[in-house]
Amino acid sequence: MKTMMFSILLLLFISIQQVRTGSFLTGTYDPNSTALINERSNIKEIDVLRQIINQETLIRLAVVKDVKAIVDDVSSVKRSIASTETMIFSLQKALNTLKSQVDSLIRDNTLAQTVESLKRKVDILLSQDMILTQRIEKLERRVDTLSKDNALQHMVNTLKTQDNSLSGEQRRENKKIAMNCENRIQETEQKFNRNIADIYELLNNRTLLTVNKDLNINKDCKDLYINGNTKSGVYEINPFGIESKINVFCVMVTEGGGWTAIQRRLSGSVSFDRTWAEYRNGFGNLSDSYWLGNDVIHQLTKGRNASLYVSITLRNGTKLYELYNQFSVADETNNYRLFLGGPVTGTLGDRMLNTGSSNNDLSGMYFSTPDKDNDRASYNCAANSYRRGGWWFNYCHLAFLNGQWSPADWWYPWWPKVESGTNVRQTMMLIKRH
């Protein structure tokens, strides 16, 4: 900037001098005149200035060239920085992937350690139960001995030997005594076999409980409740083992807690007019209305050791319920056949097990959907305009909780307590193993 100002001032000075002398403009020549001498002096100064200006121009061009080179270098550096940033991003991504793999390996190692610890605990448990197993074997040998030469059997054999030499009345009396002895022997053996089976089942259950506890497996809501979860809500369970996890709504405040909701309806926002596959796999949303899925229901009840709790809340706030002590569902190859057993208690009244009409009892019935008819009627109850939905129909029902959520179409949800959908605010079907 200073150099530029100097150049401008110099040019302005030269112009003024030329105007003052007038010789530069007029072109007159007088070698003896003072003006000419001054002009020559000015010319020399101009030449000097021109040289200075030329040098300045050269310097300026050199500077511009250097600046351009610097700009090019800066652009190159920027490109290098961008390339480096891309490389850093790629490295960071690769590092994150590697970290995830390391975390996975650590988890796998933790699982392996857990399995090893579990194996050791199972070995300890089995060794602790070895004495009990030996006692069982001893009892079994004793039963074998008793069955061969105990006093009762000896008495039976003696009576049979003497039978031919006795009168008819004595023969009948001895036969009666022998029969009683044989019955007592049979009862003793059956009782012993039941005890043996109970002991083995106890051993298996103890081992299974230890495994599930160590692997943090909650088969159903009862396991969650036992482990300290006492608030109703959505939880994760493992009905098929550690490899499979599903979410379910658990009811922890009803009848001792630990109930798994297999059906829940809070409104008509979810249609229950569904296909066989949808009822098999489950549908809906846990926050409102859903069907858990027949495969899961079978898995949770296949040992026939679960209870069923049905509740219907009316629009006026009245809550009615019915509790069935025995409930289970078969697998798909048996069309999810329903099994119900008593005792039955509640305020709804039994409309599923012993209704007073064999055409309406639901225990033993197969599951039906609008696209698969398994009921006993000549038509498909599940596809009827008043009964669109899956259920265990007979000819057809007195209880049906999966009907269409409307007064006109929901035909007898639970007759006669709840005759139409007009009165229904909420329904739930809950199960809990014994």
Side-chain angles (χ1 to χ4, degrees), residues 47-254:
D47 289 338
V48 172
L49 289 173
R50 282 177 178 172
Q51 292 176 2
I52 293 172
I53 290 170
N54 290 336
Q55 291 178 354
E56 181 184 352
T57 301
L58 293 173
I59 293 170
R60 205 179 278 172
L61 291 173
V63 170
V64 169
K65 186 177 181 181
D66 291 341
V67 169
K68 186 176 183 302
I70 291 171
V71 170
D72 292 339
D73 290 342
V74 170
S75 299
S76 177
V77 170
K78 285 183 177 179
R79 287 193 297 272
S80 298
I81 291 173
S83 177
T84 303
E85 289 177 346
T86 302
M87 185 180 299
I88 290 172
F89 177 78
S90 299
L91 289 173
Q92 185 66 45
K93 189 175 180 181
L95 181 62
N96 291 335
T97 302
L98 182 60
K99 185 178 179 182
S100 299
Q101 292 175 350
V102 170
D103 291 341
S104 178
L105 289 173
I106 291 173
R107 286 194 299 271
D108 290 343
N109 187 48
T110 302
L111 179 59
Q113 292 175 353
T114 302
V115 170
E116 287 299 324
S117 174
L118 180 61
K119 287 180 179 178
R120 289 194 295 271
K121 290 185 178 181
V122 170
D123 290 339
I124 293 172
L125 182 61
L126 292 175
S127 64
Q128 290 175 347
D129 292 331
M130 186 62 68
I131 297 174
L132 182 58
T133 303
Q134 292 173 351
R135 289 179 179 177
I136 292 172
E137 292 174 352
K138 186 177 180 180
L139 286 172
E140 288 176 339
R141 289 194 297 271
R142 187 177 176 185
V143 167
D144 290 338
T145 303
L146 288 172
S147 64
K148 292 177 181 178
D149 58 2
N150 60 59
L152 290 174
Q153 188 64 47
H154 181 69
M155 184 182 295
V156 170
N157 294 334
T158 302
L159 290 172
K160 287 181 178 179
T161 303
Q162 297 174 351
D163 186 64
N164 293 329
S165 61
L166 297 176
S167 64
E169 185 176 349
Q170 289 175 323
R171 208 177 276 166
R172 285 191 296 272
E173 185 66 25
N174 284 351
K175 189 175 182 180
K176 183 177 179 181
I177 294 173
M179 187 177 296
N180 289 336
C181 292
E182 288 178 341
N183 288 338
R184 287 178 62 185
I185 292 172
Q186 188 176 10
E187 289 174 1
T188 302
E189 289 181 348
Q190 290 175 350
K191 184 176 180 181
F192 178 79
N193 290 334
R194 284 196 299 269
N195 290 336
I196 294 295
D198 291 341
I199 291 171
Y200 276 123
E201 183 178 1
L202 176 62
L203 291 175
N204 292 333
N205 288 340
R206 284 178 61 186
T207 304
L208 184 60
L209 288 173
T210 302
V211 171
N212 288 347
K213 184 176 181 181
D214 285 352
L215 294 180
N216 195 27
I217 296 176
N218 296 299
K219 182 178 180 181
D220 54 21
C221 294
K222 184 175 181 179
D223 283 345
L224 287 163
Y225 186 81
I226 292 172
N227 291 331
N229 298 281
T230 57
K231 184 178 180 181
S232 297
V234 177
Y235 291 90
E236 189 178 79
I237 63 173
N238 309 82
F240 298 95
I242 192 172
E243 297 298 328
S244 175
K245 298 179 181 179
I246 64 170
N247 291 325
V248 68
F249 190 87
C250 295
V251 177
M252 303 301 197
V253 295
T254 298

